[in-house]
């Protein structure tokens, strides 16, 4: 009866390692082949959703949530600071999101 839960727990560390590998490969291929980097990010996100693993914050800000393209500031991403927020704009699809920074925000 409890075999499935035990099996899921043993798969979780392997999935985390796989996600890290895919994101690092996406970062390595981002300058040369943007389509391959996007494919790596989409695979990593699918694994994270299937295993219910949160994508680490360090990687969350490096790709667009809408089009899954790897963001390189100045090339396909615009980063602005406005009223104690970082505004990141994807130049591929136009999606933008805001990250709070400044006093009282610890993350």
């Amino acid at each position: 009866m409890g075999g499935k839960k035990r099996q899921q727990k043993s798969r979780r560390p392997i999935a985390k390692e796989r996600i890290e590998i895919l994101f690092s490969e996406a970062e390595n291929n981002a300058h040369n082949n943007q389509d391959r980097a996007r494919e790596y990010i989409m695979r990593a996100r699918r694994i994270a959703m299937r295993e219910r693993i949160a994508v680490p914050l360090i990687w969350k800000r490096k790709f667009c949530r809408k089009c899954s393209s790897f963001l390189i500031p100045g090339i396909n991403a615009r980063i602005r600071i406005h009223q104690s927020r970082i505004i990141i704009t994807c130049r591929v699809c136009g999606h933008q999101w805001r990250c709070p920074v400044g006093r009282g925000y610890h993350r």
Side-chain angles (χ1 to χ4, degrees):
M1 285 229 203
K4 189 171 182 178
K5 272 203 183 246
R6 211 172 300 137
Q7 186 181 24
Q8 283 178 344
K9 285 183 181 178
S10 66
R11 288 174 25 185
R12 189 163 276 185
I14 297 168
K16 283 183 181 180
E17 183 180 342
R18 177 79 170 152
I19 290 167
E20 286 291 325
I21 290 169
L22 285 168
F23 273 120
S24 63
E25 284 297 316
E27 188 172 28
N28 293 338
N29 288 311
H31 289 288
N32 302 333
N33 193 344
Q34 191 70 26
D35 292 331
R36 183 175 286 167
R38 181 179 293 138
E39 185 64 34
Y40 287 150
I41 289 171
M42 287 170 49
R43 283 184 190 177
R45 291 180 71 195
R46 257 187 256 131
I47 291 170
M49 284 188 276
R50 184 175 58 230
E51 297 297 326
R52 295 183 186 163
I53 299 170
V55 176
L57 185 64
I58 193 167
W59 294 113
K60 266 187 188 179
R61 292 188 181 172
K62 291 189 177 187
F63 70 90
C64 177
R65 293 178 191 159
K66 189 174 180 184
C67 68
S68 295
S69 61
F70 193 85
L71 299 176
I72 303 166
I75 296 175
N76 66 349
R78 182 173 62 206
I79 299 176
R80 299 283 189 253
I81 299 174
H82 180 70
Q83 294 180 351
S84 72
R85 289 186 194 152
I86 297 176
I87 302 170
I88 303 170
T89 306
C90 176
R91 288 188 175 170
V92 177
C93 66
H95 179 69
Q96 62 177 231
W97 61 99
R98 293 156 183 84
C99 307
V101 293
R103 295 179 82 181
Y105 185 77
H106 304 286
R107 193 162 187 195

